[in-house]
Amino acid sequence: MPRPTYFGAIEAGGTKFNCAFGLNHEAILEQKRIATVHPDDTLREVEAFFDYCVEKYGPMQSMGIACFGPVDLTKSSETYGYVINTPKPNWSFTPIVPRLEKRYGCPIGFDLDVNGSALGEMRFGAGRGLENVAYVTIGTGIGVGVIANGKSLNGLLHPEFGHISLHKLEGEPDGVCKFHKNCAEGLACGPAIEKRWGAPAETFPIDHQMWKSQAYYTAALCNAITLAYSPQRIILGGGVMTQPHLLAAIRKEFEVQLNGYVPAISRSGCVESYIVTPELDNMSGIAGAFVIAKESATNAVSQSRENDLAAV
Amino acid sequence: MPRPTYFGAIEAGGTKFNCAFGLNHEAILEQKRIATVHPDDTLREVEAFFDYCVEKYGPMQSMGIACFGPVDLTKSSETYGYVINTPKPNWSFTPIVPRLEKRYGCPIGFDLDVNGSALGEMRFGAGRGLENVAYVTIGTGIGVGVIANGKSLNGLLHPEFGHISLHKLEGEPDGVCKFHKNCAEGLACGPAIEKRWGAPAETFPIDHQMWKSQAYYTAALCNAITLAYSPQRIILGGGVMTQPHLLAAIRKEFEVQLNGYVPAISRSGCVESYIVTPELDNMSGIAGAFVIAKESATNAVSQSRENDLAAV
């Protein structure tokens, strides 16, 4: 029996579920954005969308989900494929993967949202040709997705590098994170900027101290990422990064803070290719979800071959 | 032609090269420690040792080297297998792998020293059965080796997580690292302790403030490792960790600093299995070097099969 042609992809975010059906992010047949409300309602709408697609185009070869965290990514765990304990009302311990697996009977790949964006950019965008990439989203929070040796970096849970400690600039107030006084997210996410400076980032003139402060914290995060993962490239995305002058300021401050410590970067003067912004605009996540779908289909095929061999 | 039986293993450290020949770290036929002096002299002695072994027992199937850094681990690079620019006199750009490859004509695996120790402990020691492990050595410096998805985490260069920024305790002086005012190595390595408190760690009574300070910094480093890599276990080795009471203090302080943030650890009360000391004593590195040797032999075999298939 030939394998089905199409894939399902979900970028499952905290405010919306972006669902797509097709071959890849450049060949989408159907797409729908569904608000992230109560999981019963959201998932019912998600299923209605994919039911419609399957009815119209045939079954899915596999699905890929890039989901807001925390999620359980340990295959052997009883809550694998769940959103686990989250402050988001009603979403703690929602069995996303088991529910969709039961309904569609196809392999389902599952990863963290920022890892999905990192994968999407690595395959099709600002990280093409590389195998070690970090993707940072700076918006209502700060998330860091890491691809190492071509695969998402996941361990006991998954990295939470947006919460790494940074040194606060003198005279500035503590960050807004309720877990950590001075972590990257608490100091440099959108709400932190708004609380510290009294207005959203995009309302400030480009020579305002607010941008210097933001460049400092973002550069410090890039330095910590460099020490932690030694990626080939850092891709900075999210709402706060849409101000074009910020990128140049971050690169400059990054080199100051790096202090010549990682010769491979500072020697070649290639900070311009080391710290970049995404190339897929708002498609990084859904592109990554298609990649996750395809990987799960490939894994399922090799698993089934191994089983066949074992049965002989 | 049957493959040769034995492997060569080198734990190439900044003060000595620990060389071994045999099946694995538990079946060593010959072993020799060679001082790390000028590379010409050290490598000549290393070769004399392996020449002797090969003469006596036959050729090596492969070799594994776990080397002090910085090293070039990028296979496609012109300086792959070199120690690169290091403050260590005469060792900058020493072509360790090319030199031994030419002499022994067998596959040679090459990795960072702390990654070797992490691999050794993961396969045979305190990380048995796991796939995601961090190994920290706290001695004259601080090094962090990371195994993610069963493989060493290497990117553009390799992680240098011993230099991650930590918050300094109030009233304490800056750290001793010449690159970073307040990084983990600068604040918590052996020489930092000695400079801050006026004597080596082991001379202080167990209720001295020095141990509280050391537990604080080490716990902060474990927290940063948790946020960065989400490993299944952190293994703390090196000279400073040989004081048994320190481990308990670090675990306690780690839970305070974690503040319930990673539910998987704090929920199950399993900090005792999360932060541990090595089980292989001073054999972690050489055990890892044998693992690296075997992996390079396996890779060479699959590569040669692929080439055979391509040639058909």
Side-chain angles (χ1 to χ4, degrees):
Chain A
M1 199 178 77
R3 274 189 278 163
T5 308
Y6 298 113
F7 301 91
I10 307 176
E11 184 187 12
T15 56
K16 60 173 176 14
F17 273 50
N18 183 6
C19 302
F21 180 96
L23 284 173
N24 56 54
H25 70 290
E26 289 178 322
I28 290 174
L29 296 170
E30 303 284 343
Q31 185 162 18
K32 188 169 187 187
R33 283 162 209 274
I34 294 159
T36 309
V37 287
H38 192 287
D40 289 347
D41 300 321
T42 300
L43 292 177
R44 202 178 301 122
E45 271 203 75
V46 168
E47 290 173 343
F49 169 77
F50 286 108
D51 287 356
Y52 167 82
C53 295
V54 167
E55 175 72 27
K56 186 165 170 190
Y57 302 99
M60 293 180 280
Q61 188 175 143
S62 62
M63 299 181 81
I65 308 172
C67 187
F68 69 89
V71 288
D72 187 345
L73 300 171
T74 304
K75 291 253 164 84
S76 58
S77 161
E78 279 182 20
T79 53
Y80 170 74
Y82 284 52
V83 171
I84 53 176
N85 46 343
T86 165
K88 202 168 178 57
N90 303 311
W91 280 88
S92 284
F93 296 96
T94 299
I96 298 192
V97 172
R99 183 167 165 165
L100 295 174
E101 227 164 24
K102 197 173 160 197
R103 192 171 189 96
Y104 299 108
C106 65
I108 300 189
F110 190 59
D111 207 336
L112 194 62
D113 49 3
V114 278
N115 286 343
S117 299
L119 272 174
E121 286 289 333
M122 191 176 80
R123 289 290 179 83
F124 304 109
R128 271 190 311 276
L130 305 180
E131 284 236 293
N132 298 279
V133 161
Y135 176 92
V136 184
T137 174
I138 307 176
T140 50
I142 291 186
V144 180
V146 180
I147 312 297
N149 303 327
K151 288 171 74 175
S152 299
L153 183 64
N154 296 315
L156 178 63
L157 184 61
H158 43 69
E160 285 283 357
F161 208 66
H163 289 275
I164 196 79
S165 281
L166 299 181
H167 283 108
K168 194 164 57 73
L169 281 171
E170 256 184 61
E172 293 204 347
D174 282 347
V176 299
C177 173
K178 64 177 179 172
F179 291 101
H180 312 95
K181 243 174 35 179
N182 292 312
C183 70
E185 173 165 310
L187 289 165
C189 69
I193 297 172
E194 202 163 333
K195 190 178 170 206
R196 188 180 309 128
W197 302 98
E202 65 273 18
T203 61
F204 289 90
I206 68 169
D207 58 350
H208 194 278
Q209 175 63 24
M210 179 251 127
W211 293 113
K212 292 196 185 74
S213 159
Q214 186 65 16
Y216 169 86
Y217 291 125
T218 313
L221 177 59
C222 290
N223 261 291
I225 287 171
T226 301
L227 293 169
Y229 308 113
S230 189
Q232 295 163 289
R233 191 161 292 161
I234 298 175
I235 303 167
L236 300 176
V240 173
M241 285 306 303
T242 52
Q243 307 298 314
H245 62 91
L246 181 56
L247 180 63
I250 291 167
R251 286 171 173 162
K252 205 171 149 191
E253 175 65 23
F254 174 81
E255 293 203 289
V256 171
Q257 292 184 19
L258 192 66
N259 194 17
Y261 186 66
V262 180
I265 300 163
S266 50
R267 204 169 47 197
S268 62
C270 65
V271 68
E272 282 73 18
S273 76
Y274 184 63
I275 300 181
V276 303
T277 47
E279 286 182 7
L280 301 181
D281 298 318
N282 53 5
M283 295 292 279
S284 320
I286 205 75
F290 274 109
V291 173
I292 294 165
K294 284 177 197 185
E295 282 179 359
S296 80
T298 311
N299 292 344
V301 168
S302 29
Q303 190 56 51
S304 115
R305 276 198 199 129
E306 273 174 37
N307 293 349
D308 289 352
L309 286 171
V312 170
Chain B
M1 200 177 75
R3 274 190 279 162
T5 309
Y6 298 113
F7 301 91
I10 307 175
E11 183 188 12
T15 57
K16 61 173 175 14
F17 273 50
N18 184 5
C19 301
F21 180 96
L23 285 173
N24 56 53
H25 71 291
E26 288 178 324
I28 289 174
L29 296 169
E30 303 284 344
Q31 186 162 18
K32 189 169 187 186
R33 282 162 210 273
I34 294 161
T36 309
V37 286
H38 192 287
D40 288 347
D41 301 321
T42 301
L43 292 178
R44 201 179 301 123
E45 271 205 74
V46 167
E47 289 173 345
F49 169 77
F50 285 108
D51 286 356
Y52 167 82
C53 295
V54 167
E55 176 72 28
K56 186 165 169 189
Y57 302 99
M60 293 180 280
Q61 189 175 143
S62 62
M63 299 181 80
I65 307 172
C67 188
F68 69 88
V71 286
D72 187 343
L73 300 170
T74 305
K75 291 253 164 85
S76 59
S77 161
E78 279 182 19
T79 53
Y80 170 74
Y82 284 52
V83 171
I84 52 174
N85 46 343
T86 164
K88 203 167 179 57
N90 305 309
W91 280 88
S92 284
F93 296 99
T94 299
I96 298 191
V97 172
R99 183 167 165 164
L100 295 173
E101 228 164 23
K102 197 173 159 197
R103 192 172 189 93
Y104 299 108
C106 65
I108 301 190
F110 190 59
D111 207 336
L112 195 62
D113 50 3
V114 278
N115 286 343
S117 300
L119 272 174
E121 286 290 332
M122 190 176 81
R123 289 289 178 83
F124 304 109
R128 271 190 311 276
L130 306 180
E131 286 237 292
N132 299 279
V133 161
Y135 176 91
V136 184
T137 174
I138 307 176
T140 50
I142 292 187
V144 181
V146 180
I147 312 296
N149 303 326
K151 289 173 74 175
S152 297
L153 183 64
N154 296 315
L156 179 62
L157 183 61
H158 43 70
E160 286 283 357
F161 208 65
H163 289 275
I164 196 79
S165 281
L166 299 182
H167 283 109
K168 194 164 57 74
L169 281 171
E170 256 183 62
E172 293 205 348
D174 282 347
V176 298
C177 173
K178 65 176 179 174
F179 291 100
H180 312 96
K181 242 173 36 176
N182 293 310
C183 70
E185 172 164 309
L187 289 165
C189 68
I193 297 172
E194 202 163 331
K195 190 178 171 205
R196 189 180 309 126
W197 302 97
E202 65 273 20
T203 61
F204 288 90
I206 68 170
D207 58 349
H208 195 279
Q209 175 63 23
M210 178 251 128
W211 293 113
K212 292 196 185 75
S213 159
Q214 186 64 15
Y216 169 86
Y217 291 125
T218 313
L221 177 58
C222 290
N223 260 291
I225 287 171
T226 302
L227 293 169
Y229 308 113
S230 190
Q232 294 163 291
R233 190 161 295 161
I234 299 175
I235 303 167
L236 300 176
V240 174
M241 286 306 302
T242 53
Q243 307 297 314
H245 61 91
L246 180 57
L247 181 64
I250 291 167
R251 285 171 173 161
K252 204 171 149 191
E253 175 65 23
F254 174 81
E255 292 202 290
V256 171
Q257 291 184 19
L258 192 66
N259 194 16
Y261 185 66
V262 180
I265 300 164
S266 50
R267 204 171 47 198
S268 61
C270 64
V271 68
E272 281 75 17
S273 76
Y274 184 63
I275 300 181
V276 303
T277 47
E279 285 182 8
L280 302 180
D281 298 317
N282 53 4
M283 296 291 281
S284 320
I286 205 74
F290 274 109
V291 173
I292 293 166
K294 284 179 199 186
E295 283 179 358
S296 80
T298 312
N299 291 344
V301 169
S302 29
Q303 189 57 50
S304 115
R305 276 200 199 127
E306 273 173 38
N307 293 349
D308 289 352
L309 286 171
V312 170

